[in-house]
């Protein structure tokens, strides 16, 4: 293999990326997402993130060529469900625990969705990354919780309400700031589950 081949674009890119530790990379990701929440997507710049994380602007541009690429990478770094580990042995209690977990993150996630609202209509990759980060893992985890309830015989597999539970949960989280001017905290979401979700499933 020639030295030219050994030092091709992919090798050089990997070498450059290796200079940033995973911990430092996560600092960059956390910083850009927090700035989006506080300032809005359009107001965030690579220069601003570099300043807040005390690194050079060129460091960020070496890793992520554009702001959209940087934000997509930051969103995709969060692809994990907040409902992981919930398994109380009871569907009703699992849904209460899911409500508490969602409530703890409600403000952060809702602000991020609101701040990215217009940008995601203009950038399909950004829209997909947002869905992968904040929606798909939670929907999959909720469906898994519901399926466990079916498997335990707590609810019939063909119960008509099963299809709508994820939409109920996510709908109320997004709607409360608009309707009440407040974020859906854990207490509010547990009360919602007990008043609306469990009765819809025929559970008490």
């Amino acid at each position: 293999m020639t030295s030219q081949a050994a030092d091709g674009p992919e090798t050089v890119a990997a070498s450059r990326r290796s200079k940033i530790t995973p911990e430092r990379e996560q600092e960059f990701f956390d910083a850009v997402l927090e700035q989006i929440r506080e300032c809005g997507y359009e107001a965030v710049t690579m220069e601003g993130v570099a300043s807040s994380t005390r690194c050079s602007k060129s460091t960020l541009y070496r890793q992520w060529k554009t702001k959209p690429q940087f934000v997509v990478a930051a969103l995709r770094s969060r692809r994990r469900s907040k409902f992981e580990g919930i398994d109380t042995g009871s569907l009703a209690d699992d849904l209460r625990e899911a409500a508490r977990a969602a409530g703890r993150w409600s403000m952060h996630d809702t602000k991020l969705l609101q701040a990215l609202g217009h940008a995601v209509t203009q950038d399909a990759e950004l829209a997909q990354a947002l869905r992968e980060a904040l929606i798909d893992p939670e929907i999959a985890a909720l469906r898994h919780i519901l399926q466990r309830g079916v498997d335990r015989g707590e609810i019939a597999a063909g119960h008509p309400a099963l299809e709508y539970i994820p939409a109920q949960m996510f709908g109320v989280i997004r709607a409360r700031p608009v309707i009440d001017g407040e974020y859906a905290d854990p207490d509010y979401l547990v009360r919602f589950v007990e008043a609306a979700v469990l009765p819809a499933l025929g559970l008490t």
Side-chain angles (χ1 to χ4, degrees), residues 14-200:
S15 174
R16 285 173 173 171
R17 290 188 62 82
S18 68
K19 294 178 182 178
I20 295 180
T21 67
E23 293 77 15
R24 183 60 167 154
E25 184 178 61
Q26 194 60 53
E27 284 182 38
F28 296 148
F29 291 157
D30 291 344
V32 72
L33 295 179
E34 186 58 29
Q35 288 195 21
I36 290 170
R37 290 187 192 97
E38 296 305 318
C39 308
Y41 177 80
E42 285 74 17
V44 172
T45 64
M46 299 288 259
E47 292 86 344
V49 176
S51 176
S52 70
T53 55
R54 296 177 180 172
C55 75
S56 68
K57 183 174 62 175
S58 61
T59 297
L60 298 181
Y61 276 113
R62 257 199 318 271
Q63 307 303 312
W64 307 282
K65 304 302 180 186
T66 65
K67 183 175 81 171
Q69 288 181 16
F70 185 21
V71 175
V72 164
L75 287 168
R76 287 181 170 154
S77 75
R78 300 189 55 203
R79 282 185 294 192
R80 53 189 176 277
S81 172
K82 302 169 188 67
F83 304 149
E84 286 181 6
I86 294 177
D87 187 0
T88 67
S90 157
L91 178 55
D93 286 340
D94 282 354
L95 290 171
R96 291 185 182 99
E97 285 302 310
R100 292 186 184 97
R104 287 191 289 271
W105 285 89
S106 171
M107 182 178 73
H108 281 76
D109 287 354
T110 301
K111 287 177 72 174
L112 191 57
L113 282 167
Q114 292 169 337
L116 287 167
H118 176 69
V120 297
T121 67
Q122 309 298 313
D123 188 322
E125 188 177 12
L126 187 63
Q128 181 62 26
L130 182 63
R131 182 174 183 85
E132 290 172 0
L134 300 185
I135 300 172
D136 289 349
E138 316 304 357
I139 295 294
L142 272 176
R143 286 177 176 158
H144 182 62
I145 287 172
L146 293 167
Q147 185 59 49
R148 281 205 313 259
V150 170
D151 295 342
R152 287 192 297 256
E154 296 176 84
I155 185 170
H159 195 294
L162 283 171
E163 177 183 359
Y164 302 105
I165 301 306
Q168 277 187 292
M169 295 284 285
F170 283 91
V172 74
I173 290 171
R174 306 302 173 230
R176 195 186 189 203
V178 177
I179 295 171
D180 296 335
E182 299 180 54
Y183 291 103
D185 61 19
D187 179 67
Y188 178 87
L189 288 176
V190 169
R191 286 188 284 113
F192 171 76
V193 163
E194 292 177 340
V197 177
L198 299 186

